[in-house]
Amino acid sequence: MNEFELIRKYFTRPAPNALLGVGDDAALLQVSEGNALAVSTDMLVSGTHFLPDADPFLLGHKTLAVNLSDMAAMGATPRWATLALALPEADEPWLEKFSAGFFALAQQYGVELVGGDTTRGPLNLCVTIFGEVPAQQALRRGGAQPGDEVWVSGTLGNAALALAHLQGRIALSGEEFAACAPALHQPRPRIALGLALRGIASSAIDISDGLLADLGHILDASQSGAEINLASLPVSSVMRAYVKLPLGERCVLSGGDDYELCFTAPVARHAEIIGIGARLGLPLTCIGKIVAGSGCIVHDAAGNRLNLEYGGYEHFR
Ligand code: ADP
Ligand code: MG
């Protein structure tokens, strides 16, 4: 099968919301009136972001999910995507499952694949996603103000705990692993939350590199500091047993791959945010507050300041 047959068979689907989709030298996209185009790219590299034997259906899901997560964090509605692929070979059973996982999630969020690039090479998956948001309502990193509350969605650390198990750094029971693995393999982008937070959150980011690292980006951009409470961080019932161990604590504070949202909002919005969580069926937890200064201070349940020597995942450290 040549490159063009492969593209036709696995990556060409109708794109009614694009002026022109796959097949020409470029796609043509028209943003709705009053909206800015939100553009983001995320690449998954074999051996760095996933294990080479990863399930191709789940990989198709995750390749798009991590990009949708950036739209969520921006408060944008995802509309279109492009997909650049380097493949070691045209493995049809693999491609079948990968594209099924990709399109299942794309359909769920109304995202159309409008182009890409396909080449031979070490497995590498790169999506660029295009969404829409009124420019003034975009959830940027730089808007947090001292006094604002800091929130996170869902629970923290399950993806890192599942990864620690796969890497043999901890031994979870079959039941525990089954409960954590979806966070690692099938993250659910918080699109509905991002949209609901327009006009409410003062800043937002998605947690891809761990809470401390990603909250740190909000703090840097907002020229502020934060104080958070370890005991208030939302964890799953599985994580509750591990968070007292150094590895568990580390998963919660700086484990990557959770793809929950971390956001800030004025205290006056507290009740509204609780209401959004109830409406979406997604726990939203206030974990601390923004303060003047810089950096993030973490307190334990007794109010003692933790001395943390770790941050988030960094590729070149
Ligand atoms: P060009 O040589 O102009 O770059 P290509 O041969 O790379 O064109 O691609 C042909 C068409 O197929 C283009 O419209 C391109 O966007 C699309 N395409 C290529 N690879 C993919 C892919 N993996 N997924 C979706 N569309 C793709
Ligand atoms: Mg090309």
Side-chain angles (χ1 to χ4, degrees):
M1 129 166 305
N2 71 29
E3 175 192 334
F4 303 104
E5 288 164 345
L6 186 159
I7 294 165
R8 199 173 325 112
K9 187 159 175 196
Y10 296 107
F11 298 108
T12 306
R13 300 278 174 99
N17 296 323
L19 299 176
L20 188 62
V22 170
D24 215 307
D25 295 308
L28 298 174
L29 310 174
Q30 179 81 57
V31 191
S32 332
E33 183 141 6
N35 283 276
L37 186 64
V39 183
S40 176
T41 297
D42 246 339
M43 178 161 67
L44 299 190
V45 177
S46 179
T48 301
H49 299 95
F50 59 90
L51 305 171
D53 62 350
D55 178 280
F57 183 92
L58 298 178
L59 209 47
H61 173 105
K62 189 162 178 174
T63 302
L64 183 58
V66 301
N67 281 274
L68 287 170
S69 180
D70 284 316
M71 293 288 108
M74 212 62 201
T77 306
R79 304 272 335 254
W80 306 284
T82 61
L83 171 64
L85 285 175
L87 302 167
E89 55 184 331
D91 176 344
E92 289 211 56
W94 191 95
L95 282 163
E96 181 100 50
K97 295 192 195 85
F98 176 83
S99 73
F102 184 97
F103 282 116
L105 190 65
Q107 194 174 10
Q108 206 176 319
Y109 288 96
V111 172
E112 298 176 345
L113 185 64
V114 295
D117 199 23
T118 307
T119 114
R120 187 187 289 271
L123 185 57
N124 193 343
L125 313 162
C126 182
V127 165
T128 298
I129 191 140
F130 304 86
E132 296 183 330
V133 60
Q136 297 310 314
Q137 291 182 31
L139 305 179
R140 298 168 62 155
R141 295 178 178 185
Q145 298 283 339
D148 284 357
E149 291 176 321
V150 181
W151 296 78
V152 294
S153 63
T155 62
L156 297 174
N158 268 15
L161 194 63
L163 182 64
H165 173 83
L166 290 176
Q167 294 174 335
R169 290 186 284 122
I170 197 168
L172 300 178
S173 71
E175 212 170 295
E176 288 174 331
F177 180 69
C180 293
L184 179 64
H185 296 309
Q186 282 180 291
R188 283 190 289 175
R190 302 306 189 188
I191 297 292
L193 175 59
L195 296 178
L197 290 175
R198 283 184 185 173
I200 294 177
S202 51
S203 72
I205 193 167
D206 63 323
I207 304 177
S208 55
D209 295 332
L211 173 66
L212 291 182
D214 290 316
L215 174 57
H217 295 312
I218 285 183
L219 301 180
D220 288 345
S222 301
Q223 295 177 294
S224 297
E227 289 183 9
I228 65 172
N229 308 306
L230 185 62
S232 69
L233 299 182
V235 296
S236 67
S237 53
V238 172
M239 181 57 92
R240 199 154 300 131
Y242 291 97
V243 69
K244 295 167 199 94
L245 308 175
L247 182 136
E249 180 185 296
R250 203 170 169 140
C251 285
V252 170
L253 284 171
S254 57
D257 267 359
D258 279 320
Y259 298 100
E260 295 295 348
L261 296 190
C262 175
F263 59 94
T264 62
V267 182
R269 301 290 204 163
H270 188 101
E272 246 172 302
I273 292 169
I274 295 293
I276 290 170
R279 174 166 65 78
L280 298 179
L282 175 65
L284 301 178
T285 308
C286 178
I287 62 166
K289 60 177 195 294
I290 298 293
V291 297
S294 66
C296 183
I297 294 170
V298 184
H299 295 288
D300 67 12
N304 299 315
R305 184 178 170 167
L306 296 187
N307 201 354
L308 302 169
E309 75 284 10
Y310 49 81
Y313 186 79
E314 288 180 34
H315 286 277
F316 297 105
R317 195 164 57 178

